[in-house]
Amino acid sequence: MTQHQQQVSEFKSKSGVKRIYAAFLYSMYGFRTAWKSEHAFRQELVLVVPGVIIALLLPVSALEKITLIAVLFLVLIVELINSAIEAVVDRISFERHPLSKNAKDFGSAAVFLALTLAGIAWLLIVGPLLLR
């Protein structure tokens, strides 16, 4: 293999509709695995589902509704990325290592920031409704 040739994964060989279908299946497997094995994902999903329903029912603008829903989805997105990081670190080694700890701590900090953003958005948009 020359310097300019890249090794291509066998998983990247699909194209067109076949690739879209495969990507959809991989996503469904990811959701199923997250639900089965990630306690934090389950906890957050239990908050997100009613949160989306409440956001849709609130007497706020469409932009505020989408903001409330978007920050909830952001929490799930960051949690899934954090879980992926943790899985890769654990795949490499269960041995304690400062870099492994950093990777997991950074992922956890990202989830914390997403949760904080969601909390602030909900307080700023829903708070005034509760004070009326």
Side-chain angles (χ1 to χ4, degrees):
M1 184 181 306
T2 68
Q3 182 179 356
H4 297 289
Q5 291 176 325
Q6 288 184 341
Q7 189 174 1
V8 178
S9 167
E10 66 180 276
F11 302 108
K12 297 289 184 183
S13 62
K14 296 178 179 73
S15 64
V17 174
K18 199 175 196 181
R19 185 204 154 324
I20 293 168
Y21 179 70
F24 174 78
L25 288 180
Y26 298 146
S27 296
M28 294 305 105
Y29 296 145
F31 286 131
R32 185 177 69 202
T33 302
W35 178 260
K36 286 182 178 181
S37 64
E38 296 296 327
H39 189 68
F41 181 80
R42 285 193 304 275
Q43 288 176 324
E44 291 157 356
L45 196 59
V46 165
L47 294 174
V48 167
V49 171
V52 168
I53 295 167
I54 291 167
L56 291 171
L57 296 174
L58 286 172
V60 295
S61 71
L63 182 59
E64 289 170 320
K65 287 177 192 285
I66 195 64
T67 299
L68 293 173
I69 293 168
V71 294
L72 294 176
F73 274 61
L74 180 65
V75 169
L76 293 179
I77 292 165
V78 176
E79 184 63 51
L80 288 169
I81 293 169
N82 180 44
S83 296
I85 292 167
E86 290 179 350
V88 169
V89 168
D90 290 346
R91 164 67 173 88
I92 293 168
S93 174
F94 286 122
E95 180 181 318
R96 291 189 184 273
H97 190 281
L99 293 177
S100 297
K101 181 181 183 331
N102 285 351
K104 290 185 173 194
D105 289 350
F106 295 157
S108 180
V111 173
F112 176 79
L113 288 175
L115 285 165
T116 301
L117 176 64
I120 291 168
W122 275 76
L123 280 173
L124 290 175
I125 294 171
V126 179
L129 295 174
L130 298 174
L131 297 175
R132 285 186 189 173

